[in-house]
Amino acid sequence: MASTPSALTMSAAERQRRLELRDLLNAKYKYIDRTWDVVFWVTAIFIVAGAADITKLLFAGDWDFWTDWKDAQWWPVITAFATIIIPSALQWIQWVAWRFPTGATYTCVCLFLASWIGRYFQWHVAETYPLNFVWPISTVPAAIILDWLLMKTRSFVLTSLIGGATWAFMVWAFNYIPLAPFLQPAVFMHHVMTVSDVQGIGYIRSQTPEYMRHIERGALRSFLGETQYVSLVFGGTMAVIGYWIGQFIGRYLAVWPIGRFIKTI
Amino acid sequence: MRLRFAAGLTAAVLIILCGARGAWAHGEAADEPFLKDLTVAFFNVHISPTVIKVGDPVTITGSLKILETWPYTLDPPATAYITPVVPGPVFVLADRTVNGEPDMGSIFVEKGGVYNFNMVMRGRNPGRWHVHPGIAIQGTGTLIGPGEWVTVEPSATPFRFDVSLLDGQKVNLEHYGGAFVWWWSLAGFIIGVIWMLYWTVPKRTVTRLAVTIQLPINDDAPDIGLITPRDHFWMSVLAGITVAMMVGGWVYMAAKFPVRLPQQTDRFEPVSAAPGVNLATVRGTGATYDEKTSTLILNTQIKNISDMPLTLTEYSMAMTTFVNGDAAAIAQAGPADYTGKLDVEPNTPIAPGETRAVKLTMSGDVFNDERLIPLHDPQQLIAGLVHFQGERRKYDLVTVKSVLIPTEFQPQYLP
Ligand SMILES: [Cu+2]
């Protein structure tokens, strides 16, 4: 924050340079200006959505497919980690290139579209699973807060530390609200179970047998039965790690070829 | 180089096409023969009725034994899940028992265990569906039993999956809670879209890049106009709306659904339904398979260790059952595509204490269709279950394993 020079401490030359930069920012270009923006923002939707979706599938696979996998112990940890990676990478790219606090929101808006289109056409229309069983989580609100934090702190370290924990909490809380109806107790097959369990048994998954589910099983240390809050703390830590994996991708893997290109010209 | 690429591409397409053809019947033919023969034998499977309307029940009953010949190359069987094998949720599972006990989830199993299952499904999607029972075993995959075609006809009323909640409310799982998920998620998405439009529509990326590359990374340059106080204000408004929406949603959720149960898990060990007393021992002394006539001959050495004469009634292997009896008895044994006639030589009851060489002969397209015979595999072995019937309703199921020698070995798929 000290690095934004105030008018008082700036030298005359520095002040002059910043005025020139201001003119540069407001300069008008005839052709590439808006056309480039439209082409870029639209084509990037597919690439970013694809990257985010693959990363989520890779790490969080079934946790994001079925309501009966969205448990108190593993779901908050796995999804927080899996979903922050690409938003973090895009935060780096869009902040460094344009000072846009939009990388996370952009990624999550794209992912939202891709997830719902995938669930609707592939899982609901083609496979005929009811959407209320296979709905995707939404990370958009968490992304808004993550971008807001970057804008306010202008620091990737602070964003990772505060933002990682906030991310884990926001992703979980925002999606736990619509999950609540599916955690209502019901009686099915002579057992008390949640509505989501009934969905998991009823809507047959021949190739995803029940034992593949990683859900809270209960243990001696039950933390008064409130496993999820312990998981959220752990999920926050995992999200910080995920954030830095994303930073690595953003800083070295994604931008590196562009840097090479710029150096050549 | 180009030719090799073309050849490789053609081969890849062919493999995918062949794979897809195999997958038509649930992919069971894709598994190696030993994986099916040496692991589990299904018998006495009945799937009925075979024509129903949407919403009506279909019952799958039957038995399976986890064979003592379980291949050492697989993890030993411990945790399993008995399930209908159908193409997606075209049916819903309404009830399931294993050895008479209600079974909501996975079970613990053991080698030699016999499990009688009863599953009731209700037709959901109109169509003609191939229905099998199956057992998924952790570390191995889903092994499937014999199948039957079931026709689900449309019904005037749409399908419902009603479940009673503990508070007495009855809900239809076809739609329950779905609208809330969608509108809630969409509301959050719209805030995100506004956020993006705020930045991307009025602000140009090209000119910003020219400026940012000349500034330190944590300089947002309000004086130059990269991120202005106005931007800060509106972004804080959007972030505030997001937080307010979360808090409001949480308060509503907590008031409307004060009870939220964790997902349930329960696994139990069904008491094996294996007949308690052994009546006979069976040793496989060699088997041959003739591909031209699809005929399997299994030579055995049988010893009656009981005090009553025994009749060899059936031989079950993987999802097939061959019956030593007339057409009516064969029809009784299971789905027609997976049953056949068993010739037993000599076909007379085995006296108590007697040891006898018995030759079992059976043939059927099912051997090839389901790829049950090892013709080109690292384990040239078959295994199955020999059924014996004694007096006073006593019976035994004895596992037999034998080396298999085909009349001709299959050539390689690829040269
Ligand atoms: Cu089939």
Side-chain angles (χ1 to χ4, degrees):
Chain A
M1 295 156 213
S3 73
T4 305
S6 73
L8 290 171
T9 56
M10 251 190 282
S11 67
E14 177 66 14
R15 218 171 305 156
Q16 183 56 35
R17 190 176 79 94
R18 291 182 81 90
L19 281 174
E20 281 165 16
L21 285 178
R22 191 187 180 130
D23 290 339
L24 192 57
L25 183 68
N26 296 323
K28 290 268 178 281
Y29 294 91
K30 220 171 182 180
Y31 300 111
I32 51 170
D33 241 25
R34 307 305 307 187
T35 324
W36 159 253
D37 276 351
V38 173
V39 169
F40 169 77
W41 288 110
V42 172
T43 45
I45 289 177
F46 300 95
I47 300 159
V48 171
D53 204 27
I54 288 166
T55 313
K56 188 171 77 165
L57 270 177
L58 199 64
F59 292 108
D62 287 289
W63 274 280
D64 193 40
F65 271 108
W66 321 103
T67 52
D68 67 330
W69 280 65
K70 292 178 167 53
D71 73 318
Q73 189 175 354
W74 294 106
W75 180 55
V77 178
I78 308 279
T79 47
F81 171 76
T83 54
I84 201 173
I85 296 173
I86 302 300
S88 161
L90 267 284
Q91 255 197 343
W92 168 265
I93 294 168
Q94 299 193 353
W95 177 267
V96 168
W98 314 312
R99 288 300 181 280
F100 270 11
T102 52
T105 307
Y106 182 67
T107 310
C108 294
V109 162
C110 296
L111 177 63
F112 183 96
L113 289 171
S115 301
W116 276 96
I117 289 170
R119 294 309 155 84
Y120 183 76
F121 286 103
Q122 192 184 341
W123 289 88
H124 181 61
V125 175
E127 294 277 335
T128 77
Y129 282 99
L131 268 178
N132 65 0
F133 181 36
V134 295
W135 51 275
I137 60 163
S138 170
T139 51
V140 176
I144 289 172
I145 302 302
L146 197 68
D147 279 338
W148 182 81
L149 279 169
L150 178 63
M151 186 183 74
K152 286 291 171 194
T153 63
R154 286 177 282 127
S155 155
F156 285 95
V157 173
L158 287 177
T159 306
S160 77
L161 293 177
I162 308 168
T166 315
W167 180 271
F169 177 74
M170 294 275 299
V171 169
W172 171 76
F174 186 82
N175 295 291
Y176 184 83
I177 291 168
L179 182 68
F182 301 96
L183 299 179
Q184 296 312 294
V187 176
F188 190 64
M189 291 193 181
H190 308 273
H191 271 86
V192 173
M193 59 178 83
T194 67
V195 169
S196 68
D197 291 311
V198 181
Q199 291 176 301
I201 298 166
Y203 296 106
I204 299 166
R205 297 171 293 194
S206 308
Q207 300 305 329
T208 311
E210 191 278 335
Y211 57 69
M212 284 175 69
R213 223 165 36 136
H214 293 281
I215 60 160
E216 176 194 6
R217 305 218 183 274
L220 282 176
R221 293 196 199 98
S222 74
F223 303 103
L224 301 171
E226 299 294 351
T227 323
Q228 63 210 19
Y229 298 108
V230 181
S231 282
L232 279 173
V233 174
F234 184 44
T237 314
M238 291 302 290
V240 174
I241 296 169
Y243 191 88
W244 284 103
I245 295 174
Q247 287 294 304
F248 177 80
I249 294 172
R251 292 180 188 207
Y252 301 109
L253 298 182
V255 180
W256 177 76
I258 303 171
R260 289 272 295 220
F261 177 70
I262 289 172
K263 265 182 208 143
T264 350
I265 43 176
Chain B
M1 193 65 204
R2 188 170 292 169
L3 195 72
R4 259 174 70 185
F5 177 74
L9 195 69
T10 315
V13 169
L14 280 176
I15 287 165
I16 290 165
L17 285 178
C18 294
R21 256 196 74 225
W24 170 78
H26 300 142
E28 58 261 32
D31 290 332
E32 294 199 36
F34 80 89
L35 190 59
K36 285 170 278 200
D37 299 344
L38 269 54
T39 50
V40 168
F42 284 85
F43 52 97
N44 213 5
V45 171
H46 296 282
I47 299 163
S48 70
T50 51
V51 180
I52 58 159
K53 279 199 155 42
V54 165
D56 290 348
V58 175
T59 305
I60 307 174
T61 60
S63 305
L64 64 90
K65 180 175 182 181
I66 299 187
L67 302 182
E68 296 87 341
T69 53
W70 187 270
Y72 76 93
T73 43
L74 301 175
D75 288 341
T79 305
Y81 183 69
I82 295 179
T83 176
V85 178
V86 286
V90 296
F91 295 88
V92 298
L93 186 64
D95 201 12
R96 172 172 50 206
T97 61
V98 172
N99 291 349
E101 292 181 63
D103 170 22
M104 65 173 263
S106 307
I107 54 173
F108 295 118
V109 295
E110 57 188 12
K111 276 189 213 175
V114 174
Y115 305 94
N116 303 323
F117 47 84
N118 184 314
M119 296 182 275
V120 181
M121 308 187 297
R122 291 196 302 116
R124 180 165 176 261
N125 297 355
R128 189 163 175 266
W129 312 113
H130 210 208
V131 174
H132 304 248
I135 181 167
I137 298 180
Q138 196 160 30
T140 299
T142 305
L143 304 163
I144 79 169
E148 189 87 79
W149 289 101
V150 175
T151 305
V152 180
E153 290 170 348
S155 146
T157 50
F159 179 78
R160 296 178 63 87
F161 187 5
D162 285 322
V163 169
S164 300
L165 302 187
L166 274 196
D167 64 8
Q169 207 190 333
K170 207 175 204 185
V171 297
N172 176 10
L173 293 196
E174 287 289 293
H175 301 291
Y176 173 72
F180 182 52
V181 172
W182 167 245
W183 291 112
W184 174 254
S185 304
L186 187 71
F189 172 74
I190 287 169
I191 304 176
V193 170
I194 295 170
W195 183 289
M196 284 316 299
L197 293 178
Y198 179 93
W199 288 92
T200 54
V201 172
K203 297 176 197 288
R204 301 168 300 163
T205 59
V206 174
T207 51
R208 292 173 79 93
L209 180 62
V211 176
T212 55
I213 51 174
Q214 300 185 46
L215 293 173
I217 193 170
N218 52 356
D219 185 356
D220 64 351
D223 54 331
I224 297 170
L226 283 178
I227 300 182
T228 63
R230 187 173 163 270
D231 297 337
H232 275 270
F233 172 76
W234 284 112
M235 290 309 102
S236 293
V237 167
L238 288 179
I241 292 173
T242 308
V243 171
M245 181 186 160
M246 290 261 307
V247 172
W250 192 275
V251 169
Y252 163 81
M253 180 276 291
K256 189 156 186 226
F257 304 105
V259 176
R260 285 144 359 228
L261 194 69
Q263 278 89 350
Q264 296 295 298
T265 173
D266 178 19
R267 291 180 187 175
F268 68 101
E269 194 172 345
V271 180
S272 171
V277 184
N278 286 102
L279 307 181
T281 60
V282 184
R283 200 161 60 81
T285 54
T288 59
Y289 181 71
D290 179 24
E291 222 191 328
K292 291 198 183 69
T293 57
S294 303
T295 303
L296 175 69
I297 297 173
L298 172 59
N299 294 298
T300 60
Q301 188 86 36
I302 297 173
K303 183 172 188 198
N304 183 346
I305 54 172
S306 74
D307 57 359
M308 61 184 101
L310 295 177
T311 308
L312 196 166
T313 53
E314 287 176 23
Y315 175 71
S316 305
M317 184 167 86
M319 68 276 280
T320 63
T321 296
F322 294 87
V323 183
N324 181 12
D326 56 11
I330 295 169
Q332 283 279 309
D337 293 343
Y338 300 85
T339 51
K341 172 105 177 83
L342 176 69
D343 285 316
V344 181
E345 232 181 288
N347 194 7
T348 51
I350 305 163
E354 183 189 346
T355 302
R356 182 193 277 185
V358 178
K359 181 174 148 193
L360 308 177
T361 308
M362 58 213 110
S363 61
D365 295 336
V366 67
F367 290 132
N368 292 325
D369 292 348
E370 300 290 344
R371 206 173 146 216
L372 296 181
I373 307 294
L375 297 170
H376 181 87
D377 291 282
Q379 299 191 30
Q380 285 294 136
L381 299 164
I382 58 165
L385 261 192
V386 183
H387 303 235
F388 292 101
Q389 189 65 52
E391 291 166 337
R392 304 182 301 276
R393 299 174 64 89
K394 285 224 185 317
Y395 70 100
D396 200 2
L397 308 163
V398 186
T399 304
V400 58
K401 175 178 172 181
S402 174
V403 166
L404 179 116
I405 302 167
T407 46
E408 53 189 307
F409 282 95
Q410 206 147 66
Q412 319 266 123
Y413 288 109
L414 298 172

